[in-house]
Protein backbone atom coordinates (compact mmCIF):
# COMPACT_ATOMS: atom_id res chain seq x y z
CA UNK A 1 0.00 0.00 0.00
CA UNK A 2 1.46 3.39 -0.90
CA UNK A 3 2.32 5.57 2.04
CA UNK A 4 0.19 8.66 2.60
CA UNK A 5 3.37 10.66 2.06
CA UNK A 6 3.47 9.75 -1.62
CA UNK A 7 1.76 11.75 -4.31
CA UNK A 8 -1.06 9.60 -5.70
CA UNK A 9 -0.06 8.32 -9.11
CA UNK A 10 3.67 8.87 -8.61
CA UNK A 11 5.65 6.08 -10.24
CA UNK A 12 6.54 3.33 -7.76
CA UNK A 13 10.15 3.48 -6.64
CA UNK A 14 10.72 6.90 -8.19
CA UNK A 15 11.88 8.37 -4.93
CA UNK A 16 12.66 11.84 -6.22
CA UNK A 17 9.19 12.21 -7.69
CA UNK A 18 7.57 11.75 -4.29
CA UNK A 19 6.25 14.63 -2.25
CA UNK A 20 9.04 16.55 -0.60
CA UNK A 21 11.95 14.38 -1.69
CA UNK A 22 15.28 16.07 -2.40
CA UNK A 23 18.12 14.86 -4.55
CA UNK A 24 21.53 16.45 -4.87
CA UNK A 25 23.73 14.97 -7.59
CA UNK A 26 27.37 15.95 -7.43
CA UNK A 27 26.52 19.48 -6.34
CA UNK A 28 29.30 22.05 -6.11
CA UNK A 29 28.79 25.76 -5.60
CA UNK A 30 31.31 28.53 -6.18
CA UNK A 31 31.01 32.21 -5.40
CA UNK A 32 32.65 34.94 -7.45
CA UNK A 33 32.71 35.32 -11.20
CA UNK A 34 35.73 36.39 -13.18
CA UNK A 35 39.19 35.37 -12.04
CA UNK A 36 38.82 34.72 -8.35
CA UNK A 37 36.27 32.09 -7.43
CA UNK A 38 35.75 30.44 -4.10
CA UNK A 39 34.30 26.95 -3.67
CA UNK A 40 31.79 27.18 -0.82
CA UNK A 41 30.43 23.64 -0.88
CA UNK A 42 30.76 20.28 -2.62
CA UNK A 43 30.87 17.95 -4.27
CA UNK A 44 27.82 16.67 -2.39
CA UNK A 45 25.65 13.69 -3.31
CA UNK A 46 22.60 13.35 -1.11
CA UNK A 47 19.13 11.85 -1.44
CA UNK A 48 16.50 12.80 1.10
CA UNK A 49 13.44 10.55 0.85
CA UNK A 50 10.00 12.03 1.43
CA UNK A 51 9.13 12.29 5.10
CA UNK A 52 12.71 12.28 6.34
CA UNK A 53 13.93 14.86 8.85
CA UNK A 54 17.49 15.50 7.73
CA UNK A 55 19.77 17.63 9.88
CA UNK A 56 22.93 19.13 8.37
CA UNK A 57 25.68 19.84 10.90
CA UNK A 58 29.04 21.44 10.37
CA UNK A 59 31.40 24.18 11.44
CA UNK A 60 30.65 27.79 10.63
CA UNK A 61 31.47 28.61 7.00
CA UNK A 62 31.39 25.01 5.70
CA UNK A 63 28.53 25.77 3.31
CA UNK A 64 25.36 24.73 5.19
CA UNK A 65 23.38 27.85 4.30
CA UNK A 66 24.60 27.63 0.72
CA UNK A 67 23.27 24.07 0.47
CA UNK A 68 19.91 25.14 1.88
CA UNK A 69 19.69 28.06 -0.55
CA UNK A 70 20.43 25.68 -3.43
CA UNK A 71 17.61 23.36 -2.29
CA UNK A 72 15.23 26.33 -1.93
CA UNK A 73 16.11 27.40 -5.48
CA UNK A 74 17.46 30.80 -4.35
CA UNK A 75 20.67 29.89 -6.15
CA UNK A 76 21.61 27.46 -8.90
CA UNK A 77 24.61 25.16 -8.34
CA UNK A 78 27.78 25.85 -10.29
CA UNK A 79 27.99 22.12 -11.02
CA UNK A 80 25.64 19.19 -10.53
CA UNK A 81 21.90 19.15 -10.12
CA UNK A 82 19.35 19.80 -7.40
CA UNK A 83 15.91 18.22 -7.66
CA UNK A 84 12.92 18.54 -5.35
CA UNK A 85 10.08 16.12 -6.10
CA UNK A 86 11.99 15.35 -9.30
CA UNK A 87 11.94 18.95 -10.56
CA UNK A 88 14.18 21.99 -10.41
CA UNK A 89 13.36 23.96 -7.23
CA UNK A 90 11.49 27.25 -7.60
CA UNK A 91 12.24 30.01 -5.08
CA UNK A 92 9.32 30.76 -2.79
CA UNK A 93 7.27 27.89 -4.23
CA UNK A 94 9.16 24.65 -3.65
CA UNK A 95 9.70 24.97 0.08
CA UNK A 96 8.72 26.83 3.22
CA UNK A 97 11.89 28.46 4.55
CA UNK A 98 12.71 29.58 8.10
CA UNK A 99 15.82 31.68 8.75
CA UNK A 100 17.81 32.34 11.92
CA UNK A 101 16.14 35.72 12.35
CA UNK A 102 12.37 35.59 11.82
CA UNK A 103 12.19 38.34 9.14
CA UNK A 104 8.62 39.34 9.96
CA UNK A 105 6.96 42.56 8.82
CA UNK A 106 7.16 44.65 11.99
CA UNK A 107 4.30 47.01 11.12
CA UNK A 108 1.86 44.12 10.71
CA UNK A 109 0.13 42.11 13.38
CA UNK A 110 0.98 38.46 13.96
CA UNK A 111 -2.13 37.50 11.99
CA UNK A 112 -1.25 40.01 9.28
CA UNK A 113 2.11 38.30 8.78
CA UNK A 114 0.35 34.94 8.40
CA UNK A 115 -2.17 36.46 5.97
CA UNK A 116 0.64 37.59 3.67
CA UNK A 117 1.85 33.99 3.46
CA UNK A 118 -1.69 32.77 2.78
CA UNK A 119 -2.04 35.32 0.00
CA UNK A 120 1.30 34.25 -1.43
CA UNK A 121 0.19 30.61 -1.25
CA UNK A 122 -2.98 31.64 -3.17
CA UNK A 123 -5.30 30.47 -0.44
CA UNK A 124 -8.84 31.76 -1.09
CA UNK A 125 -9.46 34.90 0.99
CA UNK A 126 -12.64 33.54 2.57
CA UNK A 127 -10.57 30.75 4.14
CA UNK A 128 -7.95 33.03 5.71
CA UNK A 129 -9.50 33.41 9.19
CA UNK A 130 -9.85 29.66 9.62
CA UNK A 131 -6.39 28.87 8.20
CA UNK A 132 -4.77 31.67 10.22
CA UNK A 133 -6.25 30.34 13.47
CA UNK A 134 -5.27 26.80 12.60
CA UNK A 135 -1.67 27.73 11.75
CA UNK A 136 -1.25 29.78 14.93
CA UNK A 137 -2.63 26.87 16.96
CA UNK A 138 -0.16 24.51 15.32
CA UNK A 139 2.76 26.55 16.64
CA UNK A 140 1.21 27.17 20.07
CA UNK A 141 0.20 30.80 19.46
CA UNK A 142 -3.58 30.59 19.81
CA UNK A 143 -5.23 33.96 20.28
CA UNK A 144 -2.19 36.09 19.42
CA UNK A 145 -3.33 37.08 15.90
CA UNK A 146 -4.13 40.69 16.82
CA UNK A 147 -0.86 41.38 18.64
CA UNK A 148 1.92 43.44 17.09
CA UNK A 149 5.19 41.78 16.22
CA UNK A 150 7.11 44.02 18.67
CA UNK A 151 4.81 42.95 21.50
CA UNK A 152 5.80 39.28 21.38
CA UNK A 153 8.98 37.50 22.51
CA UNK A 154 11.83 36.25 20.31
CA UNK A 155 10.60 32.67 20.67
CA UNK A 156 7.07 33.68 19.70
CA UNK A 157 8.39 35.54 16.65
CA UNK A 158 10.21 32.43 15.52
CA UNK A 159 6.95 30.50 15.99
CA UNK A 160 5.22 33.01 13.70
CA UNK A 161 7.99 32.46 11.12
CA UNK A 162 7.41 28.70 11.33
CA UNK A 163 3.62 29.14 10.98
CA UNK A 164 4.28 31.29 7.93
CA UNK A 165 6.50 28.60 6.41
CA UNK A 166 3.76 26.02 7.07
CA UNK A 167 1.11 28.21 5.40
CA UNK A 168 1.88 27.14 1.87
CA UNK A 169 1.35 23.48 2.78
CA UNK A 170 4.17 22.52 0.46
CA UNK A 171 5.78 19.24 1.41
CA UNK A 172 9.28 20.55 2.11
CA UNK A 173 10.45 22.66 5.02
CA UNK A 174 13.94 24.19 5.08
CA UNK A 175 15.23 25.67 8.33
CA UNK A 176 18.54 27.50 8.73
CA UNK A 177 19.58 27.59 12.41
CA UNK A 178 16.13 28.89 13.37
CA UNK A 179 16.59 28.43 17.13
CA UNK A 180 20.23 29.54 17.46
CA UNK A 181 19.44 32.92 18.97
CA UNK A 182 16.91 31.66 21.53
CA UNK A 183 17.38 30.82 25.21
CA UNK A 184 17.82 27.13 26.06
CA UNK A 185 14.33 26.54 27.45
CA UNK A 186 12.55 28.20 24.52
CA UNK A 187 14.81 26.37 22.08
CA UNK A 188 13.91 22.97 23.58
CA UNK A 189 10.18 23.77 23.47
CA UNK A 190 10.38 24.81 19.82
CA UNK A 191 12.42 21.73 18.95
CA UNK A 192 9.77 19.51 20.54
CA UNK A 193 6.92 21.25 18.71
CA UNK A 194 8.70 21.16 15.36
CA UNK A 195 9.54 17.47 15.74
CA UNK A 196 5.94 16.60 16.59
CA UNK A 197 4.55 18.80 13.79
CA UNK A 198 6.72 17.33 11.04
CA UNK A 199 6.12 13.76 12.27
CA UNK A 200 2.36 14.37 12.34
CA UNK A 201 2.18 15.79 8.83
CA UNK A 202 4.88 13.64 7.20
CA UNK A 203 6.59 16.71 5.80
CA UNK A 204 10.17 16.43 4.68
CA UNK A 205 12.52 18.75 6.56
CA UNK A 206 16.11 19.83 6.04
CA UNK A 207 17.38 21.60 9.15
CA UNK A 208 20.76 23.27 9.61
CA UNK A 209 22.47 23.59 12.98
CA UNK A 210 25.89 23.39 14.55
CA UNK A 211 24.57 21.74 17.69
CA UNK A 212 25.03 17.97 17.93
CA UNK A 213 22.35 17.88 20.62
CA UNK A 214 19.78 19.65 18.45
CA UNK A 215 20.73 17.46 15.46
CA UNK A 216 20.14 14.15 17.26
CA UNK A 217 16.94 15.32 18.93
CA UNK A 218 15.35 16.56 15.70
CA UNK A 219 16.79 14.40 12.96
CA UNK A 220 15.74 11.01 11.70
CA UNK A 221 19.11 11.28 9.96
CA UNK A 222 22.13 13.49 10.59
CA UNK A 223 24.69 14.47 7.98
CA UNK A 224 27.93 16.03 9.19
CA UNK A 225 29.81 18.18 6.68
CA UNK A 226 33.57 18.64 6.46
CA UNK A 227 35.03 22.10 6.81
CA UNK A 228 34.91 24.38 3.78
CA UNK A 229 34.19 23.41 1.05
CA UNK A 230 31.70 21.12 2.79
CA UNK A 231 31.36 17.51 1.69
CA UNK A 232 29.65 14.64 3.50
CA UNK A 233 31.84 13.45 6.40
CA UNK A 234 29.25 11.32 8.23
CA UNK A 235 25.79 10.13 7.23
CA UNK A 236 24.09 8.75 10.33
CA UNK A 237 20.57 7.32 10.68
CA UNK A 238 18.97 8.22 14.01
CA UNK A 239 16.84 5.24 15.06
CA UNK A 240 15.10 6.96 17.99
CA UNK A 241 11.30 6.79 18.43
CA UNK A 242 9.30 9.51 16.68
CA UNK A 243 5.79 10.89 16.87
CA UNK A 244 4.24 11.45 20.27
CA UNK A 245 7.24 10.81 22.50
CA UNK A 246 8.26 11.95 25.95
CA UNK A 247 10.95 14.48 25.04
CA UNK A 248 12.51 14.48 28.50
CA UNK A 249 12.95 10.71 28.50
CA UNK A 250 14.26 10.76 24.95
CA UNK A 251 16.90 13.35 25.80
CA UNK A 252 17.93 11.35 28.86
CA UNK A 253 18.24 7.93 27.21
CA UNK A 254 21.55 6.19 26.62
CA UNK A 255 21.11 5.84 22.85
CA UNK A 256 20.57 9.59 22.59
CA UNK A 257 23.83 10.25 24.45
CA UNK A 258 25.74 7.80 22.25
CA UNK A 259 24.44 9.32 19.02
CA UNK A 260 25.13 12.84 20.25
CA UNK A 261 28.71 11.85 21.11
CA UNK A 262 29.21 10.37 17.65
CA UNK A 263 27.93 13.50 15.93
CA UNK A 264 29.91 15.78 18.21
CA UNK A 265 33.09 13.78 17.59
CA UNK A 266 32.54 13.84 13.81
CA UNK A 267 31.98 17.62 13.81
CA UNK A 268 35.21 18.20 15.75
CA UNK A 269 37.19 15.77 13.56
CA UNK A 270 35.80 17.39 10.38
CA UNK A 271 36.68 20.88 11.61
CA UNK A 272 40.23 19.84 12.52
CA UNK A 273 40.94 17.85 9.30
N1 LIG B 1 27.00 35.41 -1.46
C1 LIG B 1 28.25 35.02 -1.17
N2 LIG B 1 29.32 35.49 -1.86
C2 LIG B 1 30.57 35.08 -1.59
N3 LIG B 1 30.88 34.18 -0.64
C3 LIG B 1 29.87 33.67 0.07
C4 LIG B 1 28.50 34.06 -0.14
N4 LIG B 1 27.72 33.37 0.73
C5 LIG B 1 28.55 32.61 1.46
N5 LIG B 1 29.83 32.78 1.07
C6 LIG B 1 31.01 32.08 1.60
O1 LIG B 1 30.82 30.68 1.39
C7 LIG B 1 31.24 29.93 2.52
C8 LIG B 1 30.08 29.10 3.03
O2 LIG B 1 29.11 29.99 3.55
P1 LIG B 1 27.75 29.50 4.22
O3 LIG B 1 27.04 28.62 3.27
O4 LIG B 1 27.05 30.70 4.70
O5 LIG B 1 28.31 28.62 5.44
P2 LIG B 1 27.61 28.16 6.80
O6 LIG B 1 26.14 28.38 6.66
O7 LIG B 1 28.00 26.73 6.95
O8 LIG B 1 28.22 28.99 7.88
C9 LIG B 1 31.78 30.95 3.53
O9 LIG B 1 33.16 31.01 3.41
C10 LIG B 1 31.12 32.24 3.11
O10 LIG B 1 31.94 33.35 3.45
MG1 LIG C 1 24.81 29.56 7.76
Amino acid sequence: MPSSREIPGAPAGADTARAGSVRLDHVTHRYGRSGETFTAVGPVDLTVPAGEFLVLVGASGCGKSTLLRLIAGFERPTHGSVRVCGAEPRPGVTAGVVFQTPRLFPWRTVGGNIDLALRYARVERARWPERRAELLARVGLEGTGKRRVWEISGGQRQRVAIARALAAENPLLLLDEPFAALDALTRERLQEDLRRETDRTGRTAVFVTHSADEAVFLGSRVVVLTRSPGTVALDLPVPLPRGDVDAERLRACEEFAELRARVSHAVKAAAAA
Side-chain angles (χ1 to χ4, degrees):
M1 207 173 83
S3 119
S4 59
R5 288 168 181 176
E6 290 173 34
I7 295 174
D15 210 20
T16 54
R18 281 187 203 163
S21 62
V22 179
R23 187 165 162 173
L24 307 180
D25 276 317
H26 230 64
V27 167
T28 297
H29 196 62
R30 291 202 188 99
Y31 290 111
R33 294 253 157 112
S34 58
E36 254 174 69
T37 60
F38 169 78
T39 306
V41 71
V44 171
D45 287 283
L46 207 56
T47 300
V48 188
E52 188 161 74
F53 198 124
L54 176 77
V55 181
L56 293 172
V57 199
S60 186
C62 77
K64 304 181 294 296
S65 296
T66 301
L67 266 185
L68 223 58
R69 286 201 297 269
L70 292 168
I71 299 170
F74 297 153
E75 298 192 53
R76 291 244 183 110
T78 316
H79 289 295
S81 86
V82 177
R83 290 286 178 274
V84 178
C85 310
E88 200 162 300
R90 292 192 291 153
V93 177
T94 295
V97 185
V98 184
F99 302 95
Q100 184 169 345
T101 45
R103 302 189 188 182
L104 303 176
F105 292 98
W107 60 90
R108 285 192 158 236
T109 59
V110 166
N113 272 277
I114 304 289
D115 288 354
L116 269 186
L118 293 172
R119 178 190 292 170
Y120 198 72
R122 295 174 191 273
V123 174
E124 214 184 308
R125 206 180 189 105
R127 290 188 55 224
W128 287 8
E130 172 209 331
R131 292 281 293 122
R132 188 196 307 135
E134 188 217 333
L135 285 163
L136 288 174
R138 272 159 71 180
V139 295
L141 285 179
E142 297 90 339
T144 62
K146 292 203 162 60
R147 297 182 72 180
R148 299 272 158 190
V149 165
W150 67 76
E151 292 173 340
I152 61 175
S153 69
Q156 288 175 319
R157 282 183 206 148
Q158 201 51 288
R159 286 180 188 272
V160 177
I162 292 171
R164 195 176 53 181
L166 296 173
E169 295 293 350
N170 51 30
L172 179 64
L173 209 50
L174 303 174
L175 306 104
D176 195 354
E177 307 200 41
F179 308 146
L182 304 175
D183 66 272
L185 194 64
T186 307
R187 190 185 319 141
E188 286 195 1
R189 285 232 183 93
L190 266 71
Q191 286 169 353
E192 287 159 23
D193 290 350
L194 177 68
R195 194 184 201 266
R196 208 174 305 113
E197 170 68 18
T198 47
D199 284 354
R200 192 181 64 77
T201 58
R203 272 176 188 247
T204 312
V206 182
F207 186 105
V208 163
T209 181
H210 47 243
S211 155
D213 192 84
E214 184 164 71
V216 172
F217 181 76
L218 284 175
S220 57
R221 175 182 171 198
V222 174
V223 163
V224 176
L225 297 173
T226 64
R227 68 175 184 177
S228 180
T231 57
V232 175
L234 174 74
D235 191 338
L236 184 72
V238 178
L240 295 173
R242 302 203 63 95
D244 231 348
V245 295
D246 180 334
E248 288 307 309
R249 282 182 62 186
L250 190 70
R251 285 192 165 101
C253 81
E254 213 172 291
E255 271 172 294
F256 185 90
E258 277 168 23
L259 288 159
R260 184 179 47 203
R262 277 190 72 182
V263 171
S264 181
H265 177 77
V267 172
K268 282 180 193 141

